[in-house]
Amino acid sequence: MATAEELKRRVRELENELIKCKQRRSSEEQVHARAKIEKMSAEVVDSNPYSRLMALKRMGIVDNYEKIRSFAVAVVGVGGVGSVTAEMLTRCGIGKLLLFDYDKVELANMNRLFFQPHQAGLSKVEAAENTLRNINPDVVFETHNYNITTMDSFTHFMDRISNGGLEEGKPVDLVLSCVDNFEARMAINTACNELGQVWMESGVSENAVSGHIQLIIPGETACFACAPPLVVAASIDEKTLKKDGVCAASLPTTMGVVAGILVQNVLKYLLGFGSVSYYLGYNAMQDFFPTMAMKANPQCDDQHCRRQQEEYKSKVTEHPKQEAVEEEVVVVVHEENEWGIEVVSEVTEAELQAASGPEPDLPEGITVAYTIPEKEETSGQTVEETDQSLEDLMAQMRKM
Amino acid sequence: MATAEELKRRVRELENELIKCKQRRSSEEQVHARAKIEKMSAEVVDSNPYSRLMALKRMGIVDNYEKIRSFAVAVVGVGGVGSVTAEMLTRCGIGKLLLFDYDKVELANMNRLFFQPHQAGLSKVEAAENTLRNINPDVVFETHNYNITTMDSFTHFMDRISNGGLEEGKPVDLVLSCVDNFEARMAINTACNELGQVWMESGVSENAVSGHIQLIIPGETACFACAPPLVVAASIDEKTLKKDGVCAASLPTTMGVVAGILVQNVLKYLLGFGSVSYYLGYNAMQDFFPTMAMKANPQCDDQHCRRQQEEYKSKVTEHPKQEAVEEEVVVVVHEENEWGIEVVSEVTEAELQAASGPEPDLPEGITVAYTIPEKEETSGQTVEETDQSLEDLMAQMRKM
């Protein structure tokens, strides 16, 4: 039988041990956070997470790096490409990130960067937000755990693109498509055409060894409905890949490269340096990186795309030199040329026109992802003139 | 005054609370680990971390993906490129990783992928091993927290390259240089020339907007002492960058792309698919990716490089078609051609020869990183014939 003295000593011991245990837990949690930083500084000290980015100014690459904090970017799809895209933007100090994904983290995702085994079972947007907020608490995060292709979610998605900017009520500055299927790409395309929202598309082939990024400016460049989506040629038939019980291959390398060239294009577009690429492909087998550009198709199936084309035309007519510079929605001020964009590939006006049809005259090594069966042998035939509507094509894709 | 009964109750309460606190801590730690996996499976289930990699076989890209587990790769420099390189190899299921770095994690590294704020103050190799082991416990890790350019460490480094393979006593299969300075690159070059060790070099320019990777096969391709190191042209003068108190710029995008193309080249080399690139550059401003190749320089300053060249020559003479196939040290069996390597760029024999001098005839957009002042205007002048030895050049670099 323990004496009162012994019991009191035991209580003190246990209280001390409990305090220590709680302190350890607390420190394990709290050590993850760094304090928020009010103003980006270029000071060269080990404790400054922005010193290497602010150095881009001193090196003459970027005029005003701090401006990165004024932008809001939506990332749709937080998988192999989207998660790394979000991490890069977070580490670059973007103002706000909006993340959209309906999926959960699985161990089967561990062959790509970003997610870790202990996150299996969490929603991708929740897991990503936890990690990213911890990496950079200066970024504002907004996450949506839903499938943008369902009716209600699509309406909400449209609303957040229009109003989810850094200042609530203003549109986001850029939408990035990092999804892995045709339907979700078409949903983003439809939303961005209706809203006149500039966006960038990205994709990786199902054999994991090619990928691409593409800039879409509604009314100016080809939208996703203007021309069939393009892929860098792979030596296998894309159509034979999707079969029941068979999963696509993926590699952290290809997805890391695609996320890297995507976010690089975003930085160049938002901060106004270098040449923004309209289309950049990556063929990993040959280390071949084709570039090209495609104009919008006047016979595009999407009415909002045709409306944007009309608006773009009158804008160019009214302000032939500076139509984009004063443009409120685009936000970015490009000082070098109209759009701050140069076509990297040597594509002529005629080639661009030719590329607007259903079977564009593509640079060597690029092929369309899905071909539409031709009905007649007329040249200049467009998607709209074929027997199949894009809805039919989508239905067909779903069945594959 | 508390009664004995009250004290006993308090002891029970505290004991229970302490058990719960310890359980929570324990579960927070253990939840991070996944069980080891004995054999890679292609089964398409959410819980299989290798299903998307094994799918590369079904897609006809890789003949024998499981072979990845038989390789040991050394990563020298675990910074912006090296850490992502190590993560990609870990997620791909490499057999063994040897990590070398003397540096600590700082908040100033947070603009690049991989490290997180709570790791600040840890050694990079320790922090990396913790994260990587957690991501994939099937990989064997060996870490060395030292500077390979100091005398003792260099000897130890040589020993681990020679004996640190998956089976102790066998050499590693590949060395990857992900360091950020001239001295460390020269140390790796010296070690690999002496050992006949195939390695790949990587680099990112100090203005953060260009980078490259290069494959070096001692005796066959130009080593780091055969020709000045190459960089993709940047519009600024590299020499003006290193100044006291001024840090280099860096971007997660450029470093992610360089790590991606590096590890892709590693996978192609080790698993025998696609075309392995000798040199692949990345100019982020123009989205320009030059490729080229350079032969070893018969007048190279490094005696071991010259010896390797002699050995390579006699090997080619003895076994003109299959010299590499039976080669024990290289380990990789290439079935497609001698080295399983194709030159991607259209460089002729004559151009290769010309490229072996100190001012190689380089493809458009590539320039040498450091130029050696010419003494006389003789063509065909080599590094050895210049007034400066590589030691002088190194001393000069250190002073910059």
Side-chain angles (χ1 to χ4, degrees):
Chain A
M1 175 77 196
T3 66
E5 242 358 271
E6 284 169 343
L7 284 168
K8 278 187 205 164
R9 200 184 317 126
R10 181 76 184 129
V11 166
R12 278 195 302 272
E13 278 173 9
L14 284 167
E15 280 173 346
N16 282 336
E17 240 187 291
L18 188 62
I19 288 169
K20 275 189 219 156
C21 180
K22 285 185 173 171
Q23 278 175 343
R24 272 198 301 268
R25 283 194 56 221
S26 163
S27 70
E28 275 160 21
E29 280 160 17
Q30 288 182 5
V31 80
H32 286 257
R34 74 153 166 84
K36 288 196 185 192
I37 292 173
E38 203 56 49
K39 192 173 176 297
M40 278 190 174
S41 142
E43 198 192 354
V44 182
V45 287
D46 288 343
S47 58
N48 179 7
Y50 297 122
S51 57
R52 268 58 170 177
L53 296 165
M54 292 290 278
L56 289 164
K57 293 169 69 176
R58 200 179 39 241
M59 302 263 166
I61 304 296
V62 179
D63 284 343
N64 182 7
Y65 190 83
E66 297 94 315
K67 211 176 168 198
I68 189 98
R69 293 186 97 156
S70 69
F71 298 115
V73 174
V75 177
V76 190
V78 187
V81 173
S83 62
V84 181
T85 293
E87 182 175 349
M88 287 176 173
L89 288 168
T90 297
R91 291 184 183 268
C92 283
I94 195 82
K96 180 176 176 181
L97 270 187
L98 298 88
L99 305 178
F100 298 83
D101 203 304
Y102 65 92
D103 212 3
K104 284 205 310 269
V105 179
E106 306 286 359
L107 281 185
N109 306 141
M110 294 307 134
N111 69 318
R112 284 147 274 177
L113 297 179
F114 193 75
F115 291 117
Q116 301 202 4
H118 73 269
Q119 295 174 314
L122 293 178
S123 80
K124 285 185 177 175
V125 291
E126 184 193 349
E129 184 184 357
N130 286 345
T131 304
L132 296 174
R133 193 185 291 282
N134 174 25
I135 289 171
N136 189 348
D138 299 330
V139 178
V140 178
F141 295 96
E142 177 180 318
T143 61
H144 300 286
N145 186 23
Y146 57 58
N147 181 345
I148 63 157
T149 65
T150 65
M151 194 72 82
D152 285 357
S153 300
F154 182 74
T155 308
H156 191 266
F157 172 66
M158 290 268 289
D159 177 67
R160 295 317 297 152
I161 297 307
S162 315
N163 296 302
L166 194 61
E167 191 187 328
E168 181 62 27
K170 292 268 171 85
V172 302
D173 298 290
L174 203 56
V175 173
L176 304 181
S177 165
C178 303
V179 299
D180 62 358
N181 65 86
F182 185 78
E183 267 179 286
R185 282 189 178 87
M186 278 305 283
I188 298 167
N189 189 66
T190 303
C192 291
N193 274 338
E194 184 164 344
L195 301 171
Q197 173 66 56
V198 177
W199 62 293
M200 288 185 201
E201 133 83 356
S202 68
V204 172
S205 67
E206 300 208 323
N207 66 357
V209 288
S210 49
H212 72 276
I213 64 161
Q214 188 172 349
L215 167 67
I216 296 156
I217 307 174
E220 186 178 346
T221 70
C223 86
F224 203 71
C226 283
L230 306 178
V231 291
V232 180
S235 51
I236 54 161
D237 181 359
E238 301 271 335
K239 283 177 186 169
T240 64
L241 293 181
K242 277 202 174 160
K243 283 176 188 152
D244 290 358
V246 168
C247 72
S250 58
L251 281 167
T253 45
T254 309
M255 286 178 152
V257 170
V258 170
I261 59 176
L262 176 65
V263 179
Q264 199 83 281
N265 219 35
V266 170
L267 295 177
K268 291 194 284 184
Y269 175 78
L270 293 177
L271 299 174
F273 67 97
S275 302
V276 179
S277 283
Y278 282 112
Y279 177 96
L280 174 60
Y282 169 41
N283 177 319
M285 297 296 267
Q286 304 295 329
D287 283 335
F288 164 60
F289 298 78
T291 56
M292 65 166 303
M294 276 195 300
K295 274 198 172 172
N297 177 358
Q299 279 85 42
C300 179
D301 237 24
D302 186 320
Q303 56 157 322
H304 292 290
C305 175
R306 297 196 305 272
R307 174 177 57 80
Q308 298 287 354
Q309 291 182 48
E310 290 307 315
E311 288 175 19
Y312 175 67
K313 251 185 246 166
S314 31
K315 215 161 47 182
V316 174
T317 314
E318 284 168 39
H319 309 282
K321 279 292 164 202
Q322 47 169 353
E323 73 278 2
V325 180
E326 307 298 323
E327 174 69 291
E328 272 286 324
V329 182
V330 175
V331 177
V332 195
V333 178
H334 296 297
E335 279 143 14
E336 304 254 320
N337 63 18
E338 315 171 310
W339 285 98
I341 291 163
E342 295 161 37
V343 184
V344 175
S345 61
E346 302 284 316
V347 182
T348 66
E349 199 65 8
E351 282 166 348
L352 281 176
Q353 198 54 47
S356 303
E359 288 198 32
D361 185 15
L362 300 167
E364 189 198 354
I366 302 182
T367 179
V368 293
Y370 322 104
T371 49
I372 306 168
E374 273 192 87
K375 207 189 164 192
E376 332 169 81
E377 289 283 318
T378 52
S379 69
Q381 189 192 38
T382 66
V383 174
E384 193 163 62
E385 286 160 358
T386 67
D387 217 21
Q388 284 193 303
S389 71
L390 274 156
E391 285 70 29
D392 292 342
L393 183 61
M394 275 173 66
Q396 192 183 318
M397 291 305 304
R398 273 190 292 268
K399 272 180 279 172
M400 279 166 76
Chain B
M1 174 80 194
T3 66
E5 245 353 275
E6 285 168 344
L7 283 169
K8 279 188 206 164
R9 201 184 318 125
R10 182 73 185 131
V11 166
R12 278 195 302 273
E13 280 173 7
L14 284 167
E15 281 173 344
N16 283 335
E17 240 187 294
L18 187 60
I19 288 168
K20 276 189 220 157
C21 180
K22 285 184 172 172
Q23 278 174 341
R24 273 197 302 268
R25 281 193 57 221
S26 163
S27 71
E28 276 161 18
E29 280 160 18
Q30 288 182 5
V31 80
H32 286 257
R34 73 153 165 86
K36 286 195 185 193
I37 292 172
E38 203 55 48
K39 192 173 176 299
M40 278 190 172
S41 143
E43 199 191 355
V44 181
V45 287
D46 288 343
S47 58
N48 179 6
Y50 297 122
S51 57
R52 267 55 172 180
L53 296 165
M54 293 290 277
L56 289 163
K57 294 169 68 177
R58 200 178 41 242
M59 302 263 165
I61 304 296
V62 179
D63 284 342
N64 183 6
Y65 190 83
E66 297 94 316
K67 211 177 168 198
I68 190 100
R69 292 185 97 155
S70 69
F71 298 114
V73 175
V75 177
V76 190
V78 187
V81 173
S83 61
V84 181
T85 294
E87 182 175 350
M88 287 175 173
L89 288 168
T90 298
R91 292 184 183 267
C92 283
I94 195 82
K96 180 175 175 181
L97 271 186
L98 297 88
L99 305 179
F100 297 83
D101 203 304
Y102 64 93
D103 213 3
K104 284 205 311 271
V105 179
E106 306 287 359
L107 282 184
N109 306 140
M110 293 308 135
N111 69 318
R112 283 147 275 177
L113 297 179
F114 193 75
F115 291 116
Q116 300 201 4
H118 73 270
Q119 295 172 315
L122 293 178
S123 80
K124 285 185 176 173
V125 292
E126 183 193 350
E129 184 184 356
N130 285 345
T131 304
L132 297 174
R133 193 184 290 280
N134 174 25
I135 290 171
N136 190 347
D138 299 331
V139 178
V140 178
F141 295 96
E142 177 181 319
T143 61
H144 299 286
N145 187 23
Y146 57 58
N147 182 345
I148 63 157
T149 65
T150 64
M151 194 71 82
D152 285 356
S153 301
F154 182 74
T155 308
H156 192 265
F157 172 67
M158 289 270 288
D159 177 67
R160 296 316 299 152
I161 298 306
S162 315
N163 297 301
L166 194 60
E167 191 188 327
E168 182 63 26
K170 293 269 172 84
V172 302
D173 298 290
L174 203 56
V175 173
L176 304 180
S177 163
C178 303
V179 298
D180 62 357
N181 65 85
F182 184 78
E183 264 180 290
R185 282 187 178 87
M186 278 306 283
I188 298 167
N189 189 66
T190 303
C192 292
N193 275 338
E194 184 163 345
L195 301 171
Q197 173 65 54
V198 177
W199 62 293
M200 288 185 200
E201 132 84 357
S202 69
V204 172
S205 67
E206 300 210 321
N207 66 357
V209 289
S210 49
H212 72 277
I213 64 161
Q214 188 171 350
L215 167 66
I216 295 155
I217 306 174
E220 186 178 346
T221 70
C223 85
F224 203 71
C226 283
L230 306 177
V231 292
V232 179
S235 50
I236 52 160
D237 180 358
E238 301 273 334
K239 283 179 187 167
T240 64
L241 294 181
K242 276 201 175 159
K243 284 177 186 150
D244 289 358
V246 168
C247 72
S250 58
L251 281 167
T253 45
T254 309
M255 288 180 151
V257 170
V258 170
I261 59 177
L262 175 66
V263 179
Q264 199 84 279
N265 219 35
V266 170
L267 295 176
K268 291 193 284 183
Y269 175 78
L270 293 177
L271 299 174
F273 67 97
S275 301
V276 179
S277 283
Y278 282 112
Y279 176 97
L280 174 60
Y282 169 41
N283 176 320
M285 298 296 267
Q286 304 295 327
D287 283 336
F288 164 59
F289 298 78
T291 56
M292 65 166 301
M294 276 195 301
K295 276 198 173 171
N297 178 359
Q299 279 86 43
C300 179
D301 237 23
D302 186 319
Q303 55 157 322
H304 292 291
C305 175
R306 296 195 307 270
R307 173 176 58 80
Q308 298 287 352
Q309 291 182 48
E310 290 307 316
E311 287 175 19
Y312 175 68
K313 251 186 242 163
S314 31
K315 212 159 50 182
V316 174
T317 314
E318 285 167 38
H319 310 282
K321 278 291 162 201
Q322 46 169 354
E323 73 278 3
V325 180
E326 308 298 323
E327 175 67 292
E328 272 286 325
V329 183
V330 174
V331 176
V332 195
V333 178
H334 296 295
E335 280 142 12
E336 304 255 320
N337 62 20
E338 317 170 306
W339 284 100
I341 291 163
E342 296 161 36
V343 184
V344 176
S345 63
E346 304 283 318
V347 181
T348 66
E349 199 65 7
E351 283 167 347
L352 281 177
Q353 199 53 50
S356 304
E359 288 199 30
D361 185 14
L362 299 167
E364 188 197 355
I366 301 183
T367 179
V368 293
Y370 321 105
T371 48
I372 305 168
E374 274 191 86
K375 206 188 166 196
E376 331 170 82
E377 289 283 317
T378 52
S379 68
Q381 189 191 39
T382 65
V383 174
E384 194 163 62
E385 286 161 358
T386 66
D387 215 22
Q388 285 193 301
S389 70
L390 274 156
E391 285 70 29
D392 291 342
L393 184 59
M394 275 173 66
Q396 192 182 318
M397 291 306 303
R398 274 191 292 268
K399 273 182 276 169
M400 278 165 77

